[in-house]
């Protein structure tokens, strides 16, 4: 069975374990072909699997003095081990230092003045981990282990492309300081890996990582894609909790336990920080049309009323970036023009309507 094409082998890896073993029991990884035949693979997991480091400069004006303790002390892990946030009474400072600011002049997002951030572990997958201490590993850990069994090696032919989930990947024509740099670095990594192994690369993105992977590919020239991309896998990149949930995150705060685990924080207490992040996408009129997505005593809202809804939930500041950045992303349907496999969940119940 050594002749199973690599892409099919990768698809098998994405199946639940019992099904995979059933389909693939007769040939263990060591007979799937020589390691030299593997196409390098780039793995991008979902939201909050990448870490974030920060550095506070003199320009930082903390809202409370103790949030300035790290000023001038160099890089530190801001978003890596959330258990430590409460140990160090850093929750409030974390929320402030994670927050973004929308700049209407540049029509782009950036950190608070004096807060610099960077994403560590570019190029390797070992840095990925979920921040919920009690959860079983869900940052594609099992897939990464299965790839290792196939002969993939971290940082060699299996590469990580951790990203800053607070920003949304831009579509053509949109400025994005953070993603301009990220795309450039990722292109270089792809080129290096491809040349080193003399093969095109596979890119696999899960959840929000799928959106990032898709925009990355669509940001490159057609000639570049043809030269370097073997296949693009988008795994539940249409966000498995559903799109209406994204409205809920803005209205009531992110579901702390899943997306953004901060000990002792309630969804509501994280709302201000969450709203400062660039929201990738909300339910689109193209899909939801005039259907009511939010019911309140005073009024019902469809996807055509999102601006009014943002004002009603006390987030008028979100209207401009919604209009100037998000709508363009929601209406950008250009195919990535590379061999593509999308894997979506079926039979999963997702909310269609929020009742307040
Ligand atoms: C996170 O920090 C806690 C408390 O300091 C520690 O017990 C735990 O081992 C750390 N977890 C990781 C993955 O480093
Ligand atoms: C790629 O993304 C950058 C950053 O948003 C943008 O400036 C550039 O125009 C994009 N290029 C293409 C071809 O989409
Ligand atoms: C905060 O959360 C931690 C871990 O979840 C818990 O042990 C601690 O008791 C909590 N502290 C407060 C003040 O609620
Ligand atoms: C909102 O929609 C619900 C369910 O369709 C309906 O019962 C209710 O009367 C509507 N409320 C308003 C204010 O239109």
């Amino acid at each position: 069975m050594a002749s199973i094409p690599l892409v099919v082998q990768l698809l098998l890896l994405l199946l639940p374990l019992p099904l995979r073993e059933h389909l693939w029991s007769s040939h263990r990884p060591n007979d799937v072909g020589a390691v030299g035949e593997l196409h390098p693979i780039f793995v991008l997991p979902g939201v909050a699997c990448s870490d974030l480091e920060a550095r506070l400069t003199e320009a930082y004006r903390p809202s409370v003095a103790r949030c300035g303790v790290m000023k001038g002390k160099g890089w530190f892990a801001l978003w890596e081990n959330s258990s430590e946030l409460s140990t160090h009474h850093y929750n409030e400072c974390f929320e402030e230092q994670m927050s973004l600011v929308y700049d209407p002049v540049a029509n782009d997002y950036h950190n608070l003045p004096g807060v610099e951030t960077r994403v560590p572990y570019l190029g390797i997958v070992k840095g990925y981990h979920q921040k919920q201490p009690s959860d079983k590993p869900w940052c594609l850990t099992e897939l990464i282990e299965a790839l290792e069994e196939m002969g993939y090696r971290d940082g060699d032919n299996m590469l990580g492309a951790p990203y800053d989930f607070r920003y949304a990947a831009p579509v053509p024509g949109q400025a994005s300081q953070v993603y301009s740099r990220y795309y450039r670095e990722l292109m270089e990594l792809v080129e290096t890996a491809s040349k080193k192994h003399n093969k095109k690369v596979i890119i696999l993105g899960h959840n929000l990582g799928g959106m990032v992977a898709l925009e990355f590919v669509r940001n490159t020239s057609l000639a570049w894609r043809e030269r370097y991309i073997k296949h693009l896998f988008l795994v539940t990149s249409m966000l498995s909790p559903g799109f209406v949930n994204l409205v809920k995150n803005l209205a009531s705060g992110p579901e702390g336990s899943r997306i953004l685990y901060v000990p002792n924080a309630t969804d509501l207490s994280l709302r201000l920080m969450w709203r400062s992040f660039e929201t990738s996408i909300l339910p689109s009129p193209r899909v939801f049309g005039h259907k009511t997505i939010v019911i309140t005593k005073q009024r019902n809202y469809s996807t055509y009323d999102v601006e009014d809804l943002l004002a009603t939930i006390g987030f008028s500041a979100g209207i401009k970036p919604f209009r100037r950045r998000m709508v363009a992303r929601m209406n950008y349907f250009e195919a990535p023009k590379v061999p593509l496999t999308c894997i979506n969940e079926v039979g999963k119940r997702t909310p269609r309507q929020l009742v307040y």
Side-chain angles (χ1 to χ4, degrees):
M1 299 270 275
S3 58
I4 297 185
L6 178 62
V7 166
V8 178
Q9 291 175 33
L10 290 171
L11 275 171
L12 287 174
L13 289 185
L14 294 165
L15 295 173
L17 194 61
L19 191 56
R20 192 203 312 162
E21 299 219 312
H22 172 73
L23 291 169
W24 201 8
S25 55
S26 59
H27 50 100
R28 299 317 302 167
N30 53 2
D31 52 75
V32 296
V35 168
E37 288 171 13
L38 298 174
H39 288 259
I41 186 166
F42 283 74
V43 180
L44 286 77
V47 66
C49 290
S50 307
D51 292 352
L52 208 55
E53 294 177 345
R55 179 165 70 177
L56 307 178
T57 69
E58 280 313 309
Y60 176 50
R61 297 277 168 270
S63 58
V64 289
R66 65 187 173 78
C67 292
V69 290
M70 293 303 287
K71 240 187 195 183
K73 301 233 169 83
W75 292 103
F76 64 96
L78 178 63
W79 176 234
E80 179 197 301
N81 180 342
S82 39
S83 308
E84 299 220 303
L85 293 176
S86 53
T87 316
H88 297 296
H89 304 286
Y90 207 73
N91 286 18
E92 191 186 349
C93 308
F94 165 79
E95 286 162 36
E96 176 168 299
Q97 289 158 19
M98 284 286 281
S99 294
L100 297 183
V101 182
Y102 173 66
D103 173 355
V105 177
N107 188 21
D108 195 2
Y109 283 79
H110 54 70
N111 286 316
L112 289 186
V115 179
E116 295 175 3
T117 50
R118 68 178 185 195
V119 183
Y121 307 119
L122 181 72
I124 58 173
V125 301
K126 279 287 147 54
Y128 295 142
H129 59 101
Q130 85 287 354
K131 310 298 186 271
Q132 292 82 339
S134 56
D135 247 11
K136 77 181 175 76
W138 55 273
C139 290
L140 296 182
T141 313
E142 285 179 22
L143 176 73
I144 286 167
E145 284 168 2
L147 288 169
E148 282 175 339
E149 278 190 33
M150 275 178 79
Y152 277 107
R153 291 294 163 258
D154 191 14
D156 177 31
N157 56 0
M158 172 166 61
L159 297 102
Y163 57 93
D164 188 338
F165 75 95
R166 301 173 301 160
Y167 298 85
V171 295
Q174 292 191 329
S176 171
Q177 234 180 20
V178 166
Y179 272 96
S180 299
R181 182 185 169 146
Y182 175 82
Y183 288 163
R184 203 172 50 242
E185 290 175 340
L186 187 48
M187 277 176 87
E188 280 171 20
L189 272 182
V190 167
E191 289 168 19
T192 307
S194 172
K195 282 173 189 152
K196 180 171 171 195
H197 297 280
N198 203 17
K199 291 223 167 8
K200 294 185 187 184
V201 312
I202 293 167
I203 301 181
L204 183 147
H206 172 233
N207 207 273
L208 190 65
M211 287 199 182
V212 173
L214 175 64
E215 292 317 337
F216 166 68
V217 170
R218 295 200 289 194
N219 188 259
T220 60
S221 73
L222 216 47
W224 193 90
R225 286 178 227 179
E226 277 165 10
R227 174 150 182 209
Y228 292 109
I229 310 283
K230 165 85 177 158
H231 205 97
L232 176 62
F233 284 96
L234 303 178
V235 186
T236 63
S237 62
M238 289 298 112
L239 309 186
S240 47
F243 284 95
V244 171
N245 235 37
L246 303 175
V247 178
K248 179 163 157 266
N249 291 343
L250 285 181
S252 328
E255 278 176 288
S257 59
R258 280 312 278 175
I259 314 178
L260 193 71
Y261 172 76
V262 179
N264 309 110
T266 60
D267 295 358
L268 215 48
S269 73
L270 296 173
R271 185 172 67 180
L272 194 63
M273 170 181 70
W274 185 262
R275 284 181 176 178
S276 82
F277 297 168
E278 181 172 18
T279 309
S280 301
I281 205 163
L282 284 175
S284 160
R286 297 253 199 147
V287 177
F288 289 80
H290 287 281
K291 285 191 193 120
T292 298
I293 53 168
V294 177
I295 296 180
T296 71
K297 282 208 179 70
Q298 290 74 32
R299 187 179 158 185
N300 291 342
Y301 299 84
S302 79
T303 51
Y304 289 97
D305 310 316
V306 167
E307 292 189 15
D308 289 350
L309 180 63
L310 292 174
T312 306
I313 63 174
F315 186 37
S316 300
I319 295 176
K320 208 173 228 176
F322 168 76
R323 209 181 277 161
R324 295 179 67 195
R325 289 183 71 86
M326 207 193 309
V327 169
R329 280 195 301 274
M330 284 161 55
N331 290 313
Y332 184 64
F333 294 110
E334 196 65 29
K337 300 192 180 93
V338 293
L340 170 70
T341 302
C342 285
I343 301 171
N344 289 308
E345 282 176 283
V346 288
K348 178 166 178 186
R349 295 168 68 84
T350 55
R352 257 195 329 216
Q353 229 170 31
L354 306 172
V355 182
Y356 282 94

